[in-house]
Amino acid sequence: MNNKIIGFCVIFMIIVVILFLFGIKYKCLNFDNTINLSAILTFFSVLIATFAFIVTLNNSNNNQKQYNEQQKQKKLADERNQALNIAGWFNGYSDPSADRSYPRAKVTIINSTNIPVYQMFIFMVPNKNEIEFEKLNNSGNTSPHLIKYLELVKPGETNTEVNAGGNFAGGGHDSVAILFKDASSKYWYRSNFGSLKEINQTQVFDKFQTNSIFGPYQQYSN
């Protein structure tokens, strides 16, 4: 028996005692040689009605809590739904003979929803390990030279190029991690291994400050 049921039972017993004493005080219940059958039936009818009221109230509260929890879960699912349909990946390098300071990675971004996402940052990170948001650091994968800023990503496919680190020993190459803001102005980070995580604005601000990524972000669009 859980604590709620115990609590209701205690309340019910208190009510029974109160009604019982009330019946004696006002002589609704007589315990002399004469049994007031009508009064006893009335008393127990009141008890049954009171108990039914308590049970109904308890069920109503439980139903309301379940409904509220369902609505909360639905809201969370709806908020996450857009972010789940945003992804990006590495498509190889562009012409290596071009005279550039950095190799250029070809990147594809897919927005499978019917509304855009905003303020997307594309990070070129090594493919050997998953780079979670907390692991983005000054070792190179958040260098201002190796990111791309897209003010808006419309529904469908977007192809772009990003400065990259290039191939490295052991068959390593660049991979893609993205940070973006959904239509509800919530930030999401999808790692290069595909993991999706909601990131609060303070975390984003602190990460950018630590890694010298300052606005206006349009400077990272090229």
Side-chain angles (χ1 to χ4, degrees):
M1 184 179 295
N2 61 39
N3 292 335
K4 290 183 179 179
I5 296 178
I6 292 174
F8 281 120
C9 289
V10 170
I11 293 173
F12 179 71
M13 292 303 299
I14 292 173
I15 293 174
V16 168
V17 172
I18 292 173
L19 291 176
F20 186 78
L21 295 175
F22 179 86
I24 292 176
K25 179 177 180 179
Y26 292 97
K27 299 181 179 180
C28 295
L29 299 175
N30 298 319
F31 291 96
D32 51 13
N33 294 331
T34 302
I35 299 177
N36 189 335
L37 182 59
S38 177
I40 292 175
L41 291 176
T42 300
F43 176 73
F44 279 103
S45 295
V46 172
L47 289 185
I48 293 172
T50 303
F51 181 77
F53 172 76
I54 293 173
V55 171
T56 300
L57 182 62
N58 181 46
N59 290 338
S60 177
N61 288 337
N62 288 337
N63 291 338
Q64 185 62 45
K65 289 179 180 179
Q66 290 177 359
Y67 175 78
N68 291 342
E69 181 62 24
Q70 289 172 353
Q71 292 299 109
K72 178 182 177 181
Q73 294 301 322
K74 182 179 182 300
K75 181 180 178 182
L76 291 174
D78 289 343
E79 290 176 347
R80 191 177 178 85
N81 184 60
Q82 186 186 20
L84 285 170
N85 287 280
I86 311 298
W89 59 86
F90 168 73
N91 264 332
Y93 297 103
S94 60
D95 185 3
S97 64
D99 184 17
R100 299 190 181 103
S101 299
Y102 295 91
R104 295 283 282 181
K106 294 186 288 186
V107 173
T108 297
I109 303 294
I110 290 292
N111 177 359
S112 298
T113 71
N114 58 2
I115 51 179
V117 294
Y118 306 89
Q119 296 184 351
M120 177 177 287
F121 289 84
I122 303 172
F123 300 96
M124 303 310 301
V125 299
N127 68 314
K128 290 295 186 178
N129 299 300
E130 180 172 19
I131 307 300
E132 299 171 347
F133 184 78
E134 292 76 14
K135 294 179 181 178
L136 288 172
N137 54 52
N138 275 325
S139 64
N141 52 35
T142 52
S143 166
H145 302 294
L146 303 181
I147 64 174
K148 179 72 172 281
Y149 173 72
L150 301 176
E151 182 178 353
L152 180 146
V153 177
K154 64 184 180 181
E157 180 176 309
T158 298
N159 293 291
T160 188
E161 291 190 358
V162 188
N163 286 340
N167 295 314
F168 55 92
H173 57 77
D174 290 275
S175 60
V176 172
I178 55 176
L179 175 73
F180 58 93
K181 184 184 288 188
D182 67 13
S184 299
S185 294
K186 292 189 175 183
Y187 281 104
W188 298 86
Y189 176 80
R190 189 180 289 281
S191 79
N192 57 320
F193 280 20
S195 301
L196 182 69
K197 181 179 181 180
E198 184 179 349
I199 307 295
N200 66 53
Q201 191 166 349
T202 299
Q203 289 175 292
V204 173
F205 178 80
D206 290 345
K207 180 66 66 177
F208 283 13
Q209 290 289 312
T210 300
N211 292 280
S212 301
I213 303 172
F214 302 115
Y217 299 130
Q218 203 65 34
Q219 64 183 300
Y220 307 112
S221 298
N222 296 326

